[in-house]
Amino acid sequence: MDATALERDFDREIAHASPLDNAHGITLETIPKHRVLPPRLTRFENAGGPSAPPEIDAWVVLDECPDSDSAGYLVVFDPSARIYGLAVKSDPLPVFIGCYGSLVETLNAM
């Protein structure tokens, strides 16, 4: 999936979403200020356990704290699993913490 197709998928999921329910204040109304456009393909350290690859590449589609390089969750799309998940900012690589399902399921898991 490329960035343009991912943007369409994001828009489609949000257009059919019920109100979001997460502890981080991301709502359907605030998504535009957190959205990463265009999505950016990023390398992540993988916290997926000993049998998981040490690093993965995923698309960043939403940044909880866009003004910070170190705080907040990143909502990502894992192209190999074709599913959304969460990551946290870290240096030198952000850390992928897991897949959660659809975009809405992932936003509600925050």
Side-chain angles (χ1 to χ4, degrees):
M1 182 175 286
D2 66 12
T4 302
L6 189 52
E7 285 180 40
R8 282 193 304 267
D9 184 69
F10 187 105
D11 291 338
R12 189 173 30 257
E13 283 209 41
I14 292 303
H16 296 90
S18 1
L20 300 175
D21 181 25
N22 63 67
H24 291 261
I26 305 293
T27 67
L28 294 173
E29 293 77 25
T30 64
I31 279 178
K33 79 176 199 175
H34 299 283
R35 191 165 178 188
V36 175
L37 286 172
R40 68 177 181 269
L41 191 59
T42 303
R43 170 108 347 154
F44 292 85
E45 180 181 331
N46 191 357
S51 63
E55 296 179 350
I56 68 164
D57 293 323
W59 293 92
V60 177
V61 298
L62 189 134
D63 186 336
E64 178 188 8
C65 299
D67 296 329
S68 173
D69 291 333
S70 59
Y73 279 108
L74 300 170
V75 174
V76 302
F77 179 80
D78 179 349
S80 62
R82 301 194 57 79
I83 197 166
Y84 289 89
L86 292 174
V88 291
K89 297 174 186 176
S90 185
D91 190 31
L93 295 176
V95 178
F96 178 78
I97 56 176
C99 292
Y100 289 87
S102 70
L103 176 61
V104 171
E105 289 169 326
T106 302
L107 289 167
N108 285 336
M110 292 178 69

